[in-house]
Amino acid sequence: MPPASAIDFQTLLPVIGAIFTFSFGIFVWRQAPKLQVNILFLAFCIAISYWLFGTFEMFLNRTNEQQAVFWDRFVYIGVVFVPTLMHHFSLAITGNRGQRKLLVFNYAYSFFFLVLSRTDYFVSGLNVFPSLVHSRAQIGHHVFLVLFFPIASIMFYNLRRHYQRVKVHRIRVALWLTAAAFLNILVIGGTAYLPAYGIDIGYPFSYFSGVIFVILLAVAVSEFQLMNSEVLVAEMFIYLMSLLLLADMLLRRDPGEMAFAGLGLAATLILGVNMVRTLQREIRMRHEMQKMADQISAANVHLKEMDEVKSEFISIASHQLRTPVSVIKGYLSLMQEGAYGRLPKTA
């Protein structure tokens, strides 16, 4: 087992995910800071960041049981709120104003286990594996998990009902992405609970779930708010690649290799920034072209309306002119036929 000071990629993986998750939580939230969906998205990203950062510290202190258990308890500051935030997020994103009592109960559940997770009734001792460590689950942890998945499943019920009601394709896609994001947290991220029960999962793939979650849910939120999801995905990808390259550079021991890795990071940032700017220009041009097309379409509609007005005016004017002319013509015919007597030759 490596010493507490040793840092490898596996150790860095959770903190990379934490930085990425928290950063994009802030990024999405800043698009509309007062919007409830964005606030809840940020809250969920903070909860995931607590989980990932605490895991990073636990890995760093894997040879110190007391410190490792402390940091695993730190993890649950965020984890206990995961199912409740899932429920709350589903209500916000679907516009559901019901289930208030159930939501209050779920928040009470989260705060109760937040307090309980500080004690030995929740986790105590340490399970040590070749590639990772984890505190041992106790009776409080068992009860927490028994309630965790039923509460989390409420979100999927709400999303499914809303999916069946809406007809807009964009919203249906956003709902599907939302469900996929949270399902990833439960299925992939849920494997992080197994070491607490003495099950060695080998490589901790569960810590990729935070990154996958942010990408899927950020795109879903952007679809709901009609943001530029293409730019958002590109920025997330570049940011994540930069973090991974930075971690790779920091893990290098040879100065030459570190410098080479630094050049790769710089090249990635430069190319990434140019790619995002190009994409933004293309989207801007696309929007301008769409705006011009809409203006032309509106002008065509206006021309058709003017043509109809012109035709109606000519029709009315010809009718109004034809009526008195016809009367005059009729009287002239009668006068010519002598209906009113012999016409004088001079006026």
Side-chain angles (χ1 to χ4, degrees):
M1 181 180 295
S5 59
I7 298 180
D8 53 17
F9 184 75
Q10 178 175 306
T11 303
L12 281 177
L13 179 61
V15 76
I16 292 172
I19 295 170
F20 179 80
T21 301
F22 180 75
S23 300
F24 265 91
I26 294 291
F27 175 80
V28 173
W29 169 72
R30 283 176 61 85
Q31 306 302 311
K34 295 183 180 179
L35 198 65
Q36 188 183 33
V37 170
N38 285 22
I39 294 171
L40 289 170
F41 177 80
L42 176 60
F44 206 104
C45 287
I46 291 173
I48 298 297
S49 298
Y50 265 97
W51 165 44
L52 294 173
F53 182 76
T55 301
F56 164 70
E57 288 289 346
M58 182 174 64
F59 284 176
L60 279 182
N61 294 277
R62 64 185 69 180
T63 58
N64 186 325
E65 179 176 326
Q66 185 178 358
Q67 284 295 312
V69 172
F70 168 82
W71 283 109
D72 200 23
R73 287 176 177 170
F74 176 89
V75 163
Y76 286 95
I77 295 175
V79 171
V80 295
F81 287 98
V82 166
T84 302
L85 288 172
M86 288 175 66
H87 178 203
H88 200 168
F89 188 87
S90 70
L91 296 177
I93 209 164
T94 60
N96 187 340
R97 303 198 177 196
Q99 303 179 0
R100 292 183 181 275
K101 291 182 180 179
L102 182 58
L103 186 61
V104 170
F105 170 81
N106 290 343
Y107 272 109
Y109 151 89
S110 294
F111 280 105
F112 172 77
F113 283 104
L114 175 63
V115 175
L116 188 65
S117 63
R118 309 300 95 198
T119 70
D120 289 341
Y121 294 105
F122 196 79
V123 291
S124 178
L126 200 66
N127 287 328
V128 180
F129 304 99
S131 59
L132 53 85
V133 296
H134 203 290
S135 57
R136 294 193 191 100
Q138 304 299 324
I139 182 65
H141 195 281
H142 307 337
V143 177
F144 168 72
L145 280 188
V146 167
L147 295 173
F148 182 97
F149 292 100
I151 292 174
S153 66
I154 298 171
M155 187 211 71
F156 295 101
Y157 170 78
N158 290 336
L159 291 182
R160 182 176 176 275
R161 287 191 62 188
H162 194 66
Y163 185 90
Q164 291 173 334
R165 286 197 299 266
V166 297
K167 302 299 181 185
V168 181
H169 177 71
R170 176 182 56 79
I171 295 179
R172 290 170 72 91
V173 170
L175 288 169
W176 184 87
L177 286 171
T178 302
F182 284 104
L183 186 62
N184 143 77
I185 284 291
L186 292 181
V187 176
I188 302 177
T191 60
Y193 289 123
L194 297 178
Y197 292 90
I199 302 172
D200 185 5
I201 60 174
Y203 193 82
F205 290 103
S206 55
Y207 305 116
F208 285 106
S209 63
V211 175
I212 298 171
F213 162 79
V214 171
I215 293 173
L216 290 176
L217 196 58
V219 174
V221 170
S222 71
E223 286 295 315
F224 272 106
Q225 298 175 27
L226 296 175
M227 293 160 54
N228 290 328
S229 58
E230 297 172 17
V231 175
L232 183 66
V233 171
E235 289 176 339
M236 285 193 291
F237 177 76
I238 293 163
Y239 186 45
L240 178 59
M241 288 299 299
S242 300
L243 284 176
L244 292 174
L245 289 172
L246 177 62
D248 180 63
M249 183 183 73
L250 294 175
L251 289 172
R252 301 285 180 176
R253 295 290 179 262
D254 182 83
E257 291 182 356
M258 185 176 288
F260 185 77
L263 288 174
L265 173 61
T268 300
L269 288 172
I270 293 171
L271 291 173
V273 169
N274 288 333
M275 184 180 75
V276 169
R277 287 180 177 174
T278 302
L279 186 58
Q280 287 175 330
R281 280 198 299 270
E282 289 179 359
I283 291 174
R284 201 159 40 240
M285 289 176 61
R286 195 188 310 161
H287 286 173
E288 289 175 358
M289 291 178 65
Q290 184 62 46
K291 186 177 179 181
M292 290 175 62
D294 292 340
Q295 290 175 344
I296 292 172
S297 178
N300 285 335
V301 171
H302 183 66
L303 287 173
K304 287 180 180 179
E305 291 175 352
M306 292 295 293
D307 187 60
E308 290 175 0
V309 170
K310 180 199 72 174
S311 299
E312 185 178 357
F313 171 77
I314 293 174
S315 175
I316 293 172
S318 63
H319 178 267
Q320 294 296 331
L321 288 173
R322 193 183 302 115
T323 300
V325 169
S326 298
V327 172
I328 294 171
K329 186 178 178 181
Y331 277 112
L332 288 174
S333 297
L334 290 173
M335 291 171 69
Q336 287 177 345
E337 293 172 357
Y340 297 103
R342 194 176 183 86
L343 293 175
K345 293 184 179 181
T346 56

